[in-house]
Amino acid sequence: ISKLPQLGIIAVCGVGYEEVEIEAARSRGIVVTNTPDVLTEEVADYGVALLLAAARRIVAGDRYVRERRWSKEGAMAYGQRIHGKRLGILGLGRIGMAIARRCEAFGMEIGYHNRNRRDDIAYPYFEDAVSLGDWADYFIVITPGGEGTRHLVDASVMSAIGPEGILVNVGRGPTVDDEALASALREGRLGLAALDVFADEPKVPEDFLDLEDKLILQPHQASATHDTRRAMSQLCMDNVQAFLDGSTPLTPVP
Ligand code: A2R
């Protein structure tokens, strides 16, 4: 920022803006915008897809057929059911709510933890991530990144989710403690996990690569459809255009 003395706007093409030093921008009068809402439904679809894929062993099943194990070894190991299970949502905001709506339709019970209890929602609220993990069978992380959420999902949360539990992260990588996750899966303290985001993308911890049957890995593609990426790009450019026209950008960050 300090190397760009004429800088007027930082238009982020994404909803997360933790990589921008907001105070440094604000103190120089620089506007920061992001692209909320237009990716909400897409990311929610993807979070639920990962939960289903882990529980019903979709990725493992594909591998099982390709490796010709079905014909040699017969039926593969059973999966876990979705309906009737409790889903803990860490971060019941725009995307968290869209996940909740979908999972209610799947017959799941919903609970959540935010820093603030919502008074517009009747889902049970939990004071912290551990108590949410204790209650939940399955657990989805959809909080923002940044220091406030770093390693919010640590070894104690993983143990609380438990050996039959599933952890899905479609928020930001650093929210989950990678090292603790690899050990929890290896030692059976956590059942399964599915990750779309990582602390140091596109690098993925070596430790994760051989955890094939317990961990699904994806290259940060929750919002990556043609429709949604086009909508995000359009909103990003509309913000820039509004700034250049001298009017207020459409979606400045709070
Ligand atoms: O904590 P609150 O009451 O502000 O609720 C927000 C929650 N949240 C947290 N929950 C627990 N501990 C924290 N340290 C914490 N920080 C934030 O996350 C809120 O319910 C939710 C975020 O919701 P929205 O601001 O509506 O964001 P949206 O559009 O759902 O996207 C969430 C994130 C993005 O920041 C990207 O990192 C990723 O999904 O794509």
Side-chain angles (χ1 to χ4, degrees):
I1 290 172
S2 62
K3 294 212 164 130
L4 297 165
Q6 309 239 57
L7 187 61
I9 181 168
I10 301 172
V12 178
C13 191
V15 64
Y17 52 86
E18 73 280 0
E19 301 290 324
V20 179
E21 230 180 89
I22 299 296
E23 268 321 306
R26 206 185 312 274
S27 66
R28 290 165 172 82
I30 296 162
V31 180
V32 182
T33 60
N34 64 344
T35 62
D37 298 312
V38 292
L39 48 62
T40 296
E41 304 298 327
E42 218 71 86
V43 176
D45 283 349
Y46 204 77
V48 177
L50 285 184
L51 177 62
L52 290 168
R56 301 306 309 275
R57 313 202 66 216
I58 307 269
V59 179
D62 179 81
R63 211 157 36 226
Y64 199 73
V65 174
R66 280 174 209 285
E67 289 171 355
R68 299 188 168 80
R69 293 177 61 194
W70 189 19
S71 52
K72 287 186 196 138
E73 299 171 38
M76 92 175 182
Y78 297 155
Q80 296 172 217
R81 75 164 39 156
I82 291 285
H83 69 270
K85 299 286 185 183
R86 292 170 163 179
L87 178 68
I89 300 180
L90 185 65
L92 193 71
R94 286 172 294 240
I95 301 170
M97 276 303 297
I99 290 173
R101 282 196 300 274
R102 284 158 174 73
C103 289
E104 271 200 282
F106 275 102
M108 304 188 82
E109 244 184 281
I110 312 293
Y112 74 102
H113 167 67
N114 283 352
R115 287 164 303 182
N116 309 291
R117 181 197 293 263
R118 291 182 61 153
D119 52 20
D120 57 336
I121 299 293
Y123 298 139
Y125 174 76
F126 294 84
E127 294 290 337
D128 53 52
V130 172
S131 53
L132 179 63
D134 265 330
W135 173 84
D137 298 304
Y138 306 150
F139 195 100
I140 291 197
V141 182
I142 185 60
T143 39
E147 272 315 302
T149 54
R150 191 170 181 279
H151 288 189
L152 201 55
V153 180
D154 60 9
S156 61
V157 177
M158 293 167 201
S159 295
I161 301 167
E164 307 284 310
I166 300 175
L167 170 67
V168 173
N169 188 6
V170 281
R172 283 290 183 262
T175 307
V176 172
D177 180 343
D178 285 348
E179 240 176 82
L181 178 61
S183 318
L185 289 170
R186 242 179 258 289
E187 292 160 20
R189 282 179 281 111
L190 174 69
L192 300 165
L195 306 175
D196 187 44
V197 286
F198 302 88
D200 189 19
E201 296 172 11
K203 286 192 204 136
V204 172
E206 282 295 314
D207 244 15
F208 284 173
L209 299 180
D210 61 347
L211 277 163
E212 276 188 18
D213 274 353
K214 295 187 164 193
L215 179 58
I216 295 175
L217 302 171
Q218 291 293 305
H220 198 153
Q221 56 157 341
S223 67
T225 63
H226 292 293
D227 291 330
T228 288
R229 285 293 165 87
R230 197 175 298 120
M232 289 164 67
S233 307
Q234 188 63 54
L235 179 52
C236 181
M237 295 318 294
D238 288 347
N239 276 315
V240 172
Q241 192 61 54
F243 172 80
L244 294 175
D245 292 345
S247 42
T248 314
L250 301 146
T251 49
V253 304

